[in-house]
Amino acid sequence: MPDKFIPYGRQCIEDDDIEAVVEILKSDWLTTGPKVSEFEDKFCSFAGSQYAVAVSSGTAALHCAAFAAGIKPGDEVIVTPMTFAATANVVLYQGGIPVFADIEPDTLLIDPEVVRQKITSRTRAIICMDYGGQPCDYDELKAISTENKLILIADSCHSADASYKHTPTGTLADITAFSFHPVKHITTGEGGMVTTNNPDFAERARRFRNHGITTDHRQRSEAGTWYYQMIDLGFNYRISDFQCALGMSQLKKLKKWVDRRNEIAARYNRGLSGIEGLKILRTKPDRLHSFHLYVVKIKATEFGMNRNELFNFMRKNQVGVNVHYVPVHLHPFYRKTLGTEPGMCPVAEETYEDILSLPMYPTMTDEDVEYVIKTIWKAKRKA
Ligand SMILES: *Cc1c(COP(=O)(O)O)cnc(C)c1O
């Protein structure tokens, strides 16, 4: 057994990252300074988008997207149940109604056919999520949005640097949200980004980040004026300059880290093939996966142990497996507020019983990966 616990995800902070932050701590601007727009510009060129708005978290990015999309009380928004609660919560923040559309069992991505069935005259938007780091079926989702005059929002918190038919995440939907939480591909501690090619959406997101005020502190300082107007009810979703300095430093390493994640995934694929009752998720051929998560499905009857038993076995053996996610519509808050219940998304509910996320982060060594594989084989032999 290794002397250390192998977590399911972990940040990588190196000396140059630390130096970048310290430099800004000594500068004039701790927040709303030049690093914020530098980070936004860098992120635009990386994601291929025309606009980027840096915010305080991935959740804030999703909320800005929901606001920019004009989601208002009574609007229905179609969302995936197989996601972190924030994806659907932002619809509720706007007074909208999340409508859950079931997923495909082999990719865990929202099923475009089910999305179609959920559209009503009150539907305003779709929020899809690139589960695990694999982009959704954007051609289909875009066609549905266009036909029905809906706005397509991508929760790409799992999929920085992934691509769909050679287009990187960031412009595949009308508005995209990214997260820089420490378990994500790059980190700013807490942080997020909104990307879009639509200037109105960008402007609305930018205002929403700063209380709905038309100019920020630095713009007024440079223009030598004190006057400002608040024209929307926004929030304080600003991110600091030292976080953006960290983000710029991390962004340089993103490609290298995503390559490493793909190497680890390939190693898992090889090492876990042939285990009866263990299935790996399918990656569709027209897209590049960025492996925020590496998820396997455990069929209890064939594996000989159910997911919960395997979870406990792995944790006892120092492997930090996890489960992503409890379907959002099953959370007590949703059941109480929206009246959602088991049976509404049968594929997501069934899949939830079987899924297990294995450790996946770029600084994992080959030995760590081999140890995880070996431990699963050991569980299988014991079962
Ligand atoms: C991480 C994550 C979020 C929220 O991001 P925060 O930065 O933690 O607010 C939203 N959606 C998904 C799918 C995520 O993985």
Side-chain angles (χ1 to χ4, degrees), residues 13 16 161 164 258 267 275 302 326-327 355-356 366-367 372:
I13 301 287
D16 58 333
D161 199 40
Y164 175 86
V258 169
R267 212 169 247 280
I275 300 185
E302 295 162 35
V326 178
I355 46 178
L356 192 67
D366 290 349
E367 291 69 44
V372 176

Side-chain angles (χ1 to χ4, degrees), residues 314-362:
M314 299 301 281
R315 283 283 178 102
K316 269 198 207 105
N317 283 281
Q318 302 275 65
V319 180
V321 289
N322 220 319
V323 175
H324 300 94
Y325 293 93
V326 178
V328 179
H329 68 290
L330 298 184
H331 283 303
F333 180 83
Y334 276 86
R335 296 172 73 155
K336 184 176 73 190
T337 336
L338 290 183
T340 52
E341 57 186 14
M344 291 181 93
C345 296
V347 180
E349 292 159 25
E350 242 177 74
T351 305
Y352 162 61
E353 301 295 334
D354 298 344
I355 46 178
L356 192 67
S357 306
L358 306 185
M360 170 58 85
Y361 50 95

Side-chain angles (χ1 to χ4, degrees), residues 306-315 321-323 356:
N306 67 25
R307 187 275 314 274
N308 294 354
E309 289 162 341
L310 181 60
F311 178 98
N312 291 332
F313 183 87
M314 299 301 281
R315 283 283 178 102
V321 289
N322 220 319
V323 175
L356 192 67

Side-chain angles (χ1 to χ4, degrees), residues 7 19 35 65 87 145 147 149 176 179 193 199 202 211 232 237 245 359 367:
E19 279 157 27
K35 283 291 163 200
T87 316
S145 319
E147 276 165 42
K149 298 192 170 54
T176 304
S179 165
M193 191 74 81
H211 308 279
D232 295 312
Y237 280 156
E367 291 69 44

Side-chain angles (χ1 to χ4, degrees), residues 57-59 62 83-84 86-87 129 155 157-158 179-181 184 190-191 325:
S57 70
T59 304
L62 284 165
T83 186
F84 182 57
T87 316
M129 198 281 268
D155 179 340
C157 291
H158 287 191
S179 165
F180 308 130
H181 180 279
K184 304 292 161 65
E190 297 279 0
Y325 293 93

